[in-house]
Amino acid sequence: LLIDLTKLDKRVEEISFIVTINDAEANKQNFGQVPRSGIRLFDHETGRQIATFDLEEEFSKYPVLFFPTLCIRAQRMMLV
């Protein structure tokens, strides 16, 4: 997923990421059962990794995550 922040409407203040496992409840699955599952945030221009979240280890009990939120304010970005 590539998001060009320069093309967003100026009123956009946050971008939220939701990660799910399709039919997780019916299949009794969680992120601990998905090898190498994770979220990685990169600066596309520099290739620098900004943040990483290991879902397999840190969120092994959950089938759905609302995480992280990218806040865009005054030309600065924060993950909360």
Side-chain angles (χ1 to χ4, degrees):
L1 175 65
L2 178 62
I3 301 170
D4 185 344
L5 299 176
T6 64
K7 293 184 179 181
L8 292 177
D9 187 294
K10 300 287 186 221
R11 297 172 290 180
V12 174
E13 294 182 358
E14 296 181 355
I15 299 174
S16 296
F17 299 91
I18 300 170
V19 182
T20 66
I21 298 173
N22 190 43
D23 294 327
E25 188 173 313
N27 295 322
K28 297 183 172 94
Q29 293 175 316
N30 59 55
F31 285 110
Q33 298 167 311
V34 181
R36 299 182 317 230
S37 59
I39 299 172
R40 288 159 191 81
L41 181 62
F42 288 89
D43 180 321
H44 184 68
E45 290 182 9
T46 66
R48 183 176 69 91
Q49 184 171 304
I50 298 168
T52 186
F53 302 95
D54 182 350
L55 304 183
E56 182 180 9
E57 293 291 324
E58 297 176 37
F59 302 96
S60 62
K61 297 179 182 179
Y62 304 101
V64 176
L65 294 171
F66 180 77
F67 180 79
T69 297
L70 179 62
C71 294
I72 307 163
R73 296 206 171 87
Q75 304 299 321
R76 295 182 55 130
M77 294 182 290
M78 302 176 291
L79 287 172
V80 294

